[in-house]
Amino acid sequence: MAKIIGGIATSHVPAIGAALDNGKSGEPYWQKVFSGYEFSKKWIAEAKPDVVFLVYNDHATAFSLEVIPTFALGCAAEFPIADEGWGPRPVPTVYGHPGLAWHIAQSTILDEFDMTICNKMPVDHGLTVPLSLLYGQPKEWPVKVIPFAVNVVQYPPPTGNRCYNLGKAIRRAVDSYPEDLRVVIFGTGGMSHQLQGPRAGLINADFDAKFLDRLPTDPEALAKISHLEYMREAGSEGIEMVMWLIMRGALDDKVKVAHRFYHVPASNTAVGHMVLENTL
Ligand code: DHB
Ligand code: FE
């Protein structure tokens, strides 16, 4: 049977991708960011997942104000790299796992979570930057990826509680897929940041530290955080953290924290990162 072996939480700051693509990852500013991922690169190389289920948000790239799916599940065989204004990032095409993705669609929809099935979806920095952080710069990604885009751009995004429960439904779906597959789930975005308005540049290290403390031990408490509280405490883009709760919901109640990292600055965002292992 398929099995979720662990989860990765990570920010997806686009400038991290640009630093890698432009050969700047060795510069002191970026070196501090990348140092937080050395453990995780080894971890994922040893864990050798067959599939990454990657929870991220599209930044008005594949979607626009014309169509705004709350939960968009990538069921295609491949996903092109999006052009976000400077040409597509020079990273390999992302190959999906249509068999598992369609199974997750069936299982979660019959479980009363209304997914949008996407058979065509270019993927932006929300997805490619986390892959680069964990896998570096390979010729081909050594893993199949199921993109799962959550609307956190246009109000109203889903609640943290909805996301947490959806994670549990994704877990049930993966657990019932008959092929022996090792699956790692990514929850991306965050931590505190605000890109716009008078509070642009906001970082709240206290809020972020408490979030990281509770993610392994008390996700139910995090699931109660309201949109208003994210906005007030973590900035307008801090709402991206509801995606971490999808990842957390898909893991065991008890998890092992294999790695934790927090760093400011990286562009406008507090970079938070955690590797969680299932224990059962
Ligand atoms: C930044 C962070 C994001 O999450 C994003 O989507 C765009 C920009 C930033 O820190 O610059
Ligand atoms: Fe973002």
Side-chain angles (χ1 to χ4, degrees), residues 143-194:
V143 68
K144 305 277 200 240
V145 180
I146 298 177
F148 185 62
V150 179
N151 168 41
V152 291
V153 169
Q154 172 59 48
Y155 190 84
T159 63
N161 191 51
R162 182 69 171 162
C163 288
Y164 184 60
N165 287 323
L166 173 56
K168 289 178 184 287
I170 290 167
R171 169 69 178 268
R172 289 191 286 275
V174 173
D175 281 351
S176 63
Y177 190 64
E179 196 181 335
D180 285 334
L181 292 174
R182 293 165 66 75
V183 179
V184 169
I185 180 163
F186 284 29
T188 74
M191 295 191 88
S192 57
H193 64 304
Q194 172 146 344

Side-chain angles (χ1 to χ4, degrees), residues 11-16 57-59 84 124-126 153 188-195 203 237 240 266-271:
S11 308
H12 62 215
V13 179
I16 293 175
N57 67 291
D58 178 79
H59 298 76
E84 297 180 65
D124 73 11
H125 70 269
V153 169
T188 74
M191 295 191 88
S192 57
H193 64 304
Q194 172 146 344
L195 302 175
I203 300 285
E237 276 67 46
E240 289 182 343
S267 191
N268 303 294
T269 301
V271 168

Side-chain angles (χ1 to χ4, degrees), residues 8 10-13 16-17 20-21 34 37 40-41 44 49 51-56 79 81 89 91-96 123-138 140-147 184-186 188:
I8 306 269
T10 179
S11 308
H12 62 215
V13 179
I16 293 175
L20 272 171
D21 302 343
F34 289 110
Y37 290 81
S40 323
K41 286 170 84 170
I44 208 152
V51 181
V52 163
F53 187 89
L54 207 152
V55 183
Y56 73 110
F79 303 91
I81 307 302
R89 283 193 63 210
V91 295
T93 297
V94 169
Y95 290 98
V123 287
D124 73 11
H125 70 269
L127 181 136
T128 61
V129 167
L131 279 184
S132 297
L133 281 167
L134 272 292
Y135 286 105
Q137 294 171 290
E140 300 294 337
W141 300 118
V143 68
K144 305 277 200 240
V145 180
I146 298 177
V184 169
I185 180 163
F186 284 29
T188 74

